[in-house]
Amino acid sequence: MFETLIAGLLDIWALASAGTDLRQLRVPNSLLLLVFVPAFLIQFLNGIGLLGMSPVDALIGLSIGLALGLPGYAIGQFGAGDVKYLVVLGLLCGPRGILAILLVMALVLGLMAVIVAVHARIRRRKPGRMPAAIALSSGFLLFLFLSGKFDHGL
């Protein structure tokens, strides 16, 4: 029951992150800290994370999220909130999880780029920024579903 509750709350958090990024083109620190702080504390006080990651896997995942997010921020393709979102997801999902999330993110962002480009061309406007948290949330939700740890009662 506890696992289902955690999974449900993380689903809501991921959807809220995506929705906020869609509306405001930013992911607020408050939304990220809402999960990061308790996840970090549980991870290192309990010795196992919310999604079953060891502290070492959590730190490696966090580091991968940071290392792969910072170059995107440096060239202006990611916002700071997107990088911080990657860090939180890395902490939750570990190295394999964050790499899987990044793969799904790349596919979803590619699809979004095509849609935005076609829409901009039809409207004869320059394409705008894309909310990366939608793609990250898609990867995270797929990770939760496919991980087999949380079936949400299905």
Side-chain angles (χ1 to χ4, degrees):
M1 170 151 162
F2 180 70
E3 289 179 344
T4 302
L5 175 63
I6 294 297
L9 291 173
L10 288 173
D11 288 348
I12 292 167
W13 171 74
L15 293 170
S17 298
T20 302
D21 199 20
L22 179 63
R23 285 188 312 277
Q24 301 174 4
L25 288 177
R26 63 184 295 271
V27 183
N29 288 337
S30 58
L31 196 55
L32 297 169
L33 288 171
L34 184 68
V35 170
F36 181 81
V37 171
F40 187 85
L41 290 174
I42 288 168
Q43 180 73 54
F44 293 99
L45 294 176
N46 195 25
I48 191 164
L50 291 174
L51 300 179
M53 293 299 127
S54 71
V56 171
D57 281 344
L59 284 177
I60 293 170
L62 181 150
S63 299
I64 290 171
L66 183 63
L68 296 178
L70 281 178
Y73 176 73
I75 63 172
Q77 297 301 308
F78 268 180
D82 299 323
V83 177
K84 291 179 270 188
Y85 193 23
L86 272 170
V87 166
V88 176
L89 293 176
L91 175 73
L92 289 170
C93 302
R96 289 187 184 118
I98 194 65
L99 291 173
I101 289 167
L102 286 165
L103 176 63
V104 173
M105 180 198 76
L107 296 171
V108 172
L109 278 176
L111 178 61
M112 288 171 60
V114 169
I115 292 168
V116 167
V118 168
H119 185 262
R121 185 172 178 128
I122 290 169
R123 294 204 174 250
R124 298 173 198 235
R125 294 185 181 157
K126 182 180 174 189
R129 291 188 52 126
M130 290 187 299
I134 291 175
L136 288 168
S137 293
S138 299
F140 180 59
L141 292 170
L142 186 62
F143 170 80
L144 283 178
F145 181 74
L146 295 178
S147 70
K149 295 177 187 173
F150 305 107
D151 62 6
H152 303 339
L154 299 176

